[in-house]
Amino acid sequence: MSNSIQAAPAVMMVRPVRFGANPETAVSNAFQQSDENSASELTQQNAVKEFDAFYDLLKENGIEVVVIQDTDDPHTPDSIFPNNWISFHEGNIVVKYPMEAENRRFERREDIVDILKEAGYLVSDVKDISEPEKSGKFLEGTGSIVFDYDNKLAYANLSTRTDEDLLKNLCEEMGFEPVIFHAYDQKYGKDVYHTNVVMCLAEKFVVICLDAIPEEEHGMLLDKFEQTNKKVIAISYAQMNNFAGNMLEVKNNEGKSFTIMSKTAYDSLLEGQIKEIEKHSTILTPSIPTIEKYGGGSVRCMLAGVWLEKNAN
């Protein structure tokens, strides 16, 4: 059995009440689409169906899931993506983050930590670093940061949602080394809004869209991956645009590794890429087309990994 703590031993998900395309995030999220159904009741119904089937798939495979029911008021169309505002760490530490979109700040519900405690999880410290959002500085959780928990590295591509100073401050406080790079979308050359659509870091491998990253930064990243024994699985722009970078490795109650990616992401991969991942982990592929289309995020965004200890009771 591996001593690695990279794969999340549990996940938290938020079941949506009024899911829809968020106009406040559309400016910096090139993955998000809008049309006449962006905020319709049908879109919400389809999102809930996709969410429930995803939850069932995780539970069927022995993966521990804490589900939080979203609230109707205030309206939080992106609440299905909790990983942007909260993260849970070894040492029973919870971090709450500053968010760019004003209506996403309402997602930071005080009761969620209490719900986790009621579910038996231990919380010894809550670090609320959200204050800088009032002065226009943001760091959106494990959307902005892809943590290498085993090697204490924090990968981040800078964007309007990922502030370099906030990243460095958090790393210093948490004992991580920041690994900072840039990533640009293919169509407009804009910063890719979140690191977790560019790359996924698992115990034994890393999936990354090197095409989106300036060539002069490749060497630095590839050196880090080599030093930390990560097999590099490079994906194309087209695959990144189909959310193939937005995966998460988790382990079930028997310690078995699963890599979760959407059906959209899986269908974009080549046979060799799939085989490389399957050498290390079993792939699960929930189908979430409504959530991806209108939310502009995929399965990784829906899962907040939980590294908190649990009461033995």
Side-chain angles (χ1 to χ4, degrees):
M1 193 72 118
S2 165
N3 292 323
S4 169
I5 59 162
Q6 186 62 28
V11 292
M12 185 191 86
M13 301 176 74
V14 177
R15 192 171 187 266
V17 167
R18 293 171 66 192
F19 172 80
N22 184 354
E24 288 192 25
T25 57
V27 179
S28 58
N29 183 346
F31 293 77
Q32 192 177 317
Q33 298 176 46
S34 294
D35 59 25
E36 67 279 2
N37 292 314
S38 295
S40 70
E41 181 56 34
L42 178 63
T43 293
Q44 159 62 16
Q45 289 169 6
N46 287 339
V48 167
K49 281 180 194 166
E50 291 169 12
F51 179 98
D52 289 346
F54 185 6
Y55 168 80
D56 289 343
L57 178 66
L58 296 174
K59 294 302 287 181
E60 283 161 17
N61 285 280
I63 295 159
E64 181 152 352
V65 187
V66 179
V67 173
I68 308 290
Q69 184 64 38
D70 190 18
T71 53
D72 196 47
D73 186 53
H75 181 208
T76 50
D78 279 326
S79 61
I80 201 166
F81 302 134
N83 85 304
N84 299 142
W85 71 265
I86 195 164
S87 62
F88 307 98
H89 299 262
E90 257 203 318
N92 304 323
I93 297 166
V94 177
V95 184
K96 295 181 179 181
Y97 295 87
M99 306 286 289
E100 182 179 61
E102 288 188 24
N103 66 0
R104 291 212 64 188
R105 299 170 192 177
F106 294 119
E107 295 173 35
R108 285 195 306 261
R109 287 165 43 192
E110 296 299 322
D111 63 327
I112 286 180
V113 171
D114 294 330
I115 292 168
L116 279 155
K117 287 179 179 174
E118 284 165 19
Y121 289 97
L122 303 175
V123 176
S124 60
D125 187 16
V126 178
K127 298 181 188 297
D128 188 337
I129 63 166
S130 63
E131 183 71 21
E133 70 191 12
K134 293 174 184 169
S135 52
K137 288 188 162 194
F138 316 110
L139 187 66
E140 296 193 336
T142 52
S144 290
I145 310 164
V146 173
F147 287 106
D148 181 338
Y149 297 99
D150 292 329
N151 299 291
K152 294 286 187 267
L153 300 173
Y155 291 88
N157 72 268
L158 301 181
S159 72
T160 61
R161 304 200 197 183
T162 304
D163 181 84
E164 185 171 358
D165 291 336
L166 296 185
L167 172 70
K168 287 177 175 175
N169 291 344
L170 179 66
C171 285
E172 191 173 337
E173 192 170 350
M174 300 284 286
F176 281 76
E177 175 194 332
V179 182
I180 296 166
F181 61 99
H182 300 80
Y184 303 104
D185 73 32
Q186 189 174 21
K187 197 169 179 183
Y188 302 110
K190 285 168 54 174
D191 296 326
V192 178
Y193 78 113
H194 276 157
T195 312
N196 76 356
V197 294
V198 179
M199 65 179 286
C200 156
L201 198 87
E203 179 191 349
K204 304 259 178 80
F205 62 89
V206 57
V207 175
I208 187 166
C209 183
L210 290 168
D211 290 352
I213 299 165
E215 204 168 322
E216 60 268 24
E217 295 181 340
H218 288 189
M220 175 270 293
L221 288 168
L222 293 171
D223 283 350
K224 286 289 184 197
F225 300 146
E226 186 177 3
Q227 289 160 14
T228 54
N229 298 312
K230 305 292 182 194
K231 170 69 179 176
V232 178
I233 302 169
I235 56 172
S236 66
Y237 260 124
Q239 291 171 325
M240 181 181 86
N241 291 336
N242 281 287
F243 297 105
N246 199 238
M247 309 175 182
L248 181 67
E249 184 187 24
V250 303
K251 57 189 175 190
N252 71 359
N253 48 26
E254 295 173 349
K256 181 180 176 182
S257 166
F258 292 89
T259 297
I260 306 166
M261 66 185 79
S262 71
K263 186 173 186 308
T264 306
Y266 182 85
D267 289 346
S268 78
L269 294 179
L270 302 172
E271 187 181 351
Q273 294 168 317
I274 291 167
K275 283 184 174 170
E276 196 58 54
I277 293 168
E278 286 179 334
K279 284 180 188 174
H280 311 291
S281 189
T282 299
I283 295 173
L284 296 181
T285 58
S287 179
I288 54 165
T290 307
I291 295 166
E292 289 177 321
K293 178 178 179 179
Y294 295 117
S298 190
V299 296
R300 172 65 189 98
C301 305
M302 294 173 67
L303 301 171
V306 180
W307 279 264
L308 306 176
E309 290 174 81
K310 207 169 183 191
N311 268 320
N313 303 341

